[in-house]
Amino acid sequence: MKCLVTGGAGFIGSHLADRLIGDGHQVVVIDNLSTGKRENLNPKAKFYKIDVRDSKISQIFKKERSELVFHLASQIDVRKSVENSVEDAKINILGSLNVIQNFISINRQNPHKSTSKFIFASTGGAIYGEANVIPTPEGYPEFPLSPYSIAKLTIEKYLNYYHKVFGLSYISLRLANIYGPRQNSKGEAGVVAIFCDEMLSKKQPIINGSGWQTRDFVFVGDVVEANILALKKNKIGIFNIGTAKETNVNTIFKKLKELTGSKCKEIHGPALLGEQKRSCLNFLKAKKELGWKPKYSLDKGLNKTMEWFRNKSDFRKI
Ligand SMILES: NC(=O)c1ccc[n+]([C@@H]2O[C@H](COP(=O)([O-])OP(=O)(O)OC[C@H]3O[C@@H](n4cnc5c(N)ncnc54)[C@H](O)[C@@H]3O)[C@@H](O)[C@H]2O)c1
């Protein structure tokens, strides 16, 4: 099948493109390389350097006629979304709508319409807000507490609308906190990548606040698998992708310190304003309907991630 991956030069998107190519699919990548890197691109993927907001993406959709779209291109920095909600909405809402509309318009004339599908990288870490049911299931009321997560929820509402009115087949994967090889250690997101990089380069990491805030850490290989199952299974709707296990940031710090052999101290800085205290996802729906469950334990995933940051060799393998 021909798959279009937006954000395919980024952390998760590039691993997904690798897997799709490995499975024998043709892959087309759209990415503006704002945070993505050329070196992440699989050499067998056809690459278009373009912004998802650009009206010219319609020409790519008309030319490529992909049956499947994995939409991962996004402004992913929550703090930037707070500082400039308009810019965030332009990328994460209007850019996403540009991708969805173009996909719908080519698929109206697509003879393989029945196999076409739109798979969206949403967030589960941020969409429920400070939930009092942990692990949190999909039916829990959404209470997004940042422009970033409001945009993700907005796109889910649009996808549901396009499904009901235009018959769009879609799956929205509400991803927890993803970590693994190729994650950008310079960004705001990704405490594992940031700590790995700092510990290995003998810099002192700073833990935000008490470090008792919890997250649900999922290895990138498990997220790739969730996308593949979303493609294969005849299901529609929203699925949490998490491990149902809470891990606090202090534990991540200690585990990585041991793995890297770092001599750094445990130093705490000020807490981030409005930072979520707990986040952990119930994945029973994905298990039952997609047949997905996380395969990587935290220790195994952290080990693989740290090894990658240590030598950055064996680039395409996870
Ligand atoms: N990493 C996580 O923990 C996590 C958690 C939940 C959801 N997600 C979602 O998964 C997706 C991938 O995230 P990631 O962690 O791989 O981040 P990433 O920054 O590595 O990947 C995003 C990619 O999108 C590209 N991009 C950004 N804006 C673009 C634009 N306007 N036009 C075209 N391309 C653009 C970037 O260059 C980059 O390659 C995102 O949609 C993100 O919101 C990630």
Side-chain angles (χ1 to χ4, degrees):
M1 280 173 137
K2 196 184 255 191
C3 310
L4 193 148
V5 181
T6 75
F11 160 49
I12 303 172
S14 65
H15 285 294
L16 176 60
D18 285 353
R19 168 69 186 271
L20 290 165
I21 288 166
D23 286 356
H25 298 287
Q26 272 179 278
V27 171
V28 176
V29 167
I30 285 182
D31 199 301
N32 68 354
L33 299 182
S34 53
T35 57
K37 296 185 186 122
R38 254 180 213 282
E39 72 215 50
N40 286 347
L41 282 166
N42 189 301
K44 290 189 180 142
K46 188 166 181 186
F47 177 52
Y48 293 92
K49 183 175 181 291
I50 189 165
D51 197 294
V52 287
R53 292 167 287 181
D54 196 323
S55 60
K56 289 194 209 79
I57 69 166
S58 63
Q59 292 163 17
I60 299 170
F61 274 85
K62 280 185 196 134
K63 187 168 174 222
E64 302 295 346
R65 303 208 156 268
S66 321
E67 295 157 78
L68 294 160
V69 167
F70 295 87
H71 179 45
L72 293 97
S74 167
Q75 189 299 107
I76 66 156
D77 190 326
V78 174
R79 272 182 259 173
K80 275 191 191 158
S81 83
V82 173
E83 280 159 21
N84 193 342
S85 313
V86 173
E87 192 56 21
D88 181 80
K90 280 184 185 164
I91 301 169
N92 289 349
I93 300 181
L94 297 180
S96 295
L97 284 181
N98 196 26
V99 174
I100 298 169
Q101 276 198 349
N102 276 295
F103 181 63
I104 288 175
S105 69
I106 60 140
N107 273 289
R108 278 205 197 123
Q109 314 122 29
N110 182 352
H112 307 292
K113 202 174 163 188
S114 59
T115 52
S116 80
K117 203 170 211 176
F118 191 96
I119 298 165
F120 177 54
S122 183
T123 176
I127 229 164
Y128 302 108
E130 211 62 75
N132 53 24
V133 177
I134 297 275
T136 312
E138 292 85 350
Y140 191 86
E142 298 95 356
F143 201 83
L145 285 172
S146 65
Y148 166 80
S149 44
I150 292 169
K152 292 286 186 189
L153 183 58
T154 304
I155 293 307
E156 288 187 348
K157 303 282 179 206
Y158 272 106
L159 288 171
N160 193 46
Y161 154 75
Y162 285 118
H163 166 61
K164 297 273 186 235
V165 177
F166 294 92
L168 172 73
S169 294
Y170 81 96
I171 280 192
S172 177
L173 299 173
R174 286 186 175 172
L175 309 178
N177 280 69
I178 316 309
Y179 70 96
R182 295 186 209 158
Q183 188 164 29
N184 187 354
S185 57
K186 307 291 176 241
E188 178 249 4
V191 66
V192 172
I194 295 169
F195 284 179
C196 271
D197 201 15
E198 288 173 340
M199 287 178 186
L200 288 168
S201 51
K202 300 197 181 350
K203 288 188 196 132
Q204 175 61 56
I206 305 291
I207 299 171
N208 294 329
S210 71
W212 292 116
Q213 61 275 30
T214 67
R215 297 291 180 266
D216 184 342
F217 291 95
V218 183
F219 186 66
V220 67
D222 282 327
V223 177
V224 168
E225 189 61 31
N227 277 276
I228 299 296
L229 290 165
L231 171 169
K232 285 182 181 162
K233 303 278 169 163
N234 193 16
K235 297 284 176 188
I236 283 167
I238 292 168
F239 294 87
N240 280 347
I241 298 299
T243 68
K245 288 187 187 127
E246 275 180 286
T247 307
N248 65 59
V249 174
N250 292 331
T251 303
I252 294 290
F253 178 89
K254 286 191 186 97
K255 281 181 184 290
L256 289 176
K257 192 175 159 176
E258 208 178 299
L259 278 173
T260 54
S262 165
K263 300 274 178 287
C264 67
K265 297 192 180 92
E266 185 176 321
I267 295 184
H268 294 257
L272 294 180
L273 200 65
E275 192 182 12
Q276 212 169 314
K277 289 190 179 60
R278 295 177 76 189
S279 167
C280 180
L281 302 181
N282 177 321
F283 67 90
L284 289 177
K285 187 179 175 205
K287 188 177 176 190
K288 193 168 159 226
E289 297 189 27
L290 302 179
W292 180 87
K293 64 174 187 213
K295 289 188 183 136
Y296 285 82
S297 66
L298 183 60
D299 286 335
K300 190 174 164 197
L302 288 181
N303 207 355
K304 270 188 169 284
T305 308
M306 195 279 296
E307 277 307 323
W308 184 83
F309 274 93
R310 199 190 280 286
N311 48 41
K312 297 200 179 164
S313 64
D314 212 2
F315 194 77
R316 302 235 73 86
K317 212 170 162 215
I318 53 167

